[in-house]
Amino acid sequence: MSSPPEPVRTTHLGARENRSYRRAALLLVAALAGSALPAAAQVEGWVNLAASVVEYDGFLASGALVAAPSIRFDSHRFSASGLANLTLFESGNSVVQLQASSAWLVAGRRKLRFELSGSAGVASYASESSSGHLLGGGRLHFFGEQAGGWLALTTGQASDGPDGVPLELTGAVWHIRNRVAWVGTVTRMSYGPVKHVDLQAAVRLAGPRLDVEARLGARPWARDTGLADPFTGAYGEVNIVITLSRWTGLSFGGGRYAPDPVRQMLGAKYLGVGLRLRPFGPSPPRVPGYTSGVLRGRSIPASSEGPRLELTGETEIRTFRVIAPDAGAVEIMGDFTDWVPVALVRKEAAVWEVSLPVTPGVHRMNLRLDGGPWIVPAGLRLERNEFGGAVGLLVVP
């Protein structure tokens, strides 16, 4: 699922010109666009429009209007996303930001996977020179059915920052039960004379129409020879998304985030409300997941056990047939139902059917028998995110 729009996080206002980072960011975006796209994949786009009040550290509070179009590509091994952000402050000044990121699960077994990731960003504030960053790293995942964790290393370069190479080391654990996901992380950052430690905890509740994510963090220790009093203390954010329809939603958010010298973001307090427009893409599966950064899932071959799904029809109206001899009730839900459960009708002793409009392409869906847990029907490829949530991939010719 997509995260709600955040108030713009400006880079250092004294950023100097460095065209090489802009070229590097453009090369990264081009590389993502030119990647071979697997068949079992989806592309999703959003346009976020928001009004917010932002108080950056060392500045007065200011009202702002934000427009942020974004696009995301996902397959079971590779993901890529891009975001453009235009913020207009009440003073008349503006910030323009471009960001791109990608992640690729390159190797591993079912419970141990290795991921490569990269991100780039450029920003321009008012009449100041542009600045940017280019980062890359790796992440070793440990998967369990309801719990797991990862170890990550991130490094790179920024166009306006202290001397030295930034280095971030992160350890994380997660746990999921029903639709609630919990994540805890510890990050040690070193960037020349700038160093700090961050402790963070997050909880997310993902439902068919409501998505709530709360994050709480603390920076107990920080050192910066260029600042007499670098930021330390607590911070936290709450973001809420209410889905109105397949194409629209409302978002609400507020809180405080800490400064990030690697990505050149000032710390700030903010409060905002926004409208989310979704011009294209299948509805995201309503399974829990923590989406702070690009997280990859894992997939296993299609199951041959349990209730079997068959799909018939050659028009946009398709008939879903489920073979479930012992069931007293059968329901399905998917991106083609806006993740709202739809009951099937018993046609024979072991056959249940329903006809629904479904467009050609790759869809995600689940099935439920007698009000029990949502499962992946036999015959569909199972895709599992790193928090244990599962969804079936249905290819409609």
Side-chain angles (χ1 to χ4, degrees), residues 232-244:
T232 57
Y235 52 92
E237 302 174 75
V238 175
N239 289 296
I240 301 171
V241 175
I242 301 174
T243 300
L244 301 180

Side-chain angles (χ1 to χ4, degrees), residues 76-90:
H76 73 282
R77 281 184 176 268
F78 180 79
S79 73
S81 63
L83 169 68
N85 194 312
L86 171 62
T87 302
L88 180 63
F89 295 98
E90 58 182 300

Side-chain angles (χ1 to χ4, degrees), residues 35-101:
S35 299
L37 305 183
Q42 70 175 19
V43 179
E44 184 176 18
W46 289 94
V47 177
N48 299 314
L49 305 174
S52 64
V53 177
V54 187
E55 182 181 349
Y56 294 106
D57 293 347
F59 295 84
L60 297 176
S62 175
L65 297 177
V66 181
S70 62
I71 187 170
R72 182 179 178 89
F73 166 83
D74 275 301
S75 72
H76 73 282
R77 281 184 176 268
F78 180 79
S79 73
S81 63
L83 169 68
N85 194 312
L86 171 62
T87 302
L88 180 63
F89 295 98
E90 58 182 300
S91 63
N93 291 328
S94 62
V95 170
V96 178
Q97 291 179 308
L98 300 175
Q99 300 179 40
S101 61

Side-chain angles (χ1 to χ4, degrees), residues 31-336:
L32 297 182
S35 299
L37 305 183
Q42 70 175 19
V43 179
E44 184 176 18
W46 289 94
V47 177
N48 299 314
L49 305 174
S52 64
V53 177
V54 187
E55 182 181 349
Y56 294 106
D57 293 347
F59 295 84
L60 297 176
S62 175
L65 297 177
V66 181
S70 62
I71 187 170
R72 182 179 178 89
F73 166 83
D74 275 301
S75 72
H76 73 282
R77 281 184 176 268
F78 180 79
S79 73
S81 63
L83 169 68
N85 194 312
L86 171 62
T87 302
L88 180 63
F89 295 98
E90 58 182 300
S91 63
N93 291 328
S94 62
V95 170
V96 178
Q97 291 179 308
L98 300 175
Q99 300 179 40
S101 61
S102 65
W104 178 34
L105 279 175
V106 296
R109 299 182 178 180
R110 181 175 179 181
K111 292 188 176 183
L112 188 65
R113 303 295 295 272
F114 183 70
E115 169 192 274
L116 290 177
S117 62
S119 65
V122 292
S124 178
Y125 174 77
S127 59
E128 299 288 336
S129 299
S130 299
S131 62
H133 67 269
L134 184 62
L135 303 173
R139 182 185 291 186
L140 182 63
H141 293 272
F142 304 90
F143 291 112
E145 290 302 317
Q146 289 188 313
W150 69 79
L151 298 173
L153 170 67
T154 301
T155 188
Q157 190 57 269
S159 63
D160 184 67
D163 294 333
V165 176
L167 186 66
E168 290 181 335
L169 298 174
T170 301
V173 294
W174 56 263
H175 179 267
I176 188 170
R177 186 176 181 85
N178 298 324
R179 291 187 174 272
V180 181
W182 303 82
V183 183
T185 63
V186 179
T187 300
R188 172 68 159 82
M189 191 283 297
S190 176
Y191 190 6
V194 182
K195 306 177 189 297
H196 65 241
V197 173
D198 280 318
L199 310 175
Q200 297 189 54
V203 58
R204 181 174 181 180
L205 170 64
R209 297 290 179 180
L210 181 66
D211 189 344
V212 181
E213 182 177 354
R215 287 171 278 181
L216 181 64
R219 184 168 295 177
W221 174 82
R223 185 178 71 184
D224 185 347
T225 57
L227 295 176
D229 186 22
F231 173 83
T232 57
Y235 52 92
E237 302 174 75
V238 175
N239 289 296
I240 301 171
V241 175
I242 301 174
T243 300
L244 301 180
S245 71
R246 181 173 180 176
W247 312 111
T248 60
L250 296 176
S251 63
F252 307 86
R256 175 183 176 83
Y257 51 82
D260 185 343
V262 175
R263 295 161 188 82
Q264 304 171 306
M265 296 187 298
L266 297 175
K269 301 174 184 177
Y270 73 95
L271 183 65
V273 58
L275 173 66
R276 309 186 74 205
L277 306 177
R278 187 170 171 275
F280 61 89
S283 298
R286 299 298 178 181
V287 293
Y290 183 62
T291 56
S292 180
V294 181
L295 301 180
R296 301 304 308 124
R298 57 190 170 105
S299 64
I300 62 176
S303 171
S304 60
E305 301 179 353
R308 175 168 292 277
L309 174 72
E310 299 175 355
L311 187 66
T312 62
E314 298 181 355
T315 66
E316 289 191 358
I317 302 298
R318 310 281 179 144
T319 298
F320 292 81
R321 179 180 292 114
V322 174
I323 312 301
D326 300 323
V330 178
E331 299 170 281
I332 63 172
M333 69 174 182
D335 51 38
F336 46 86

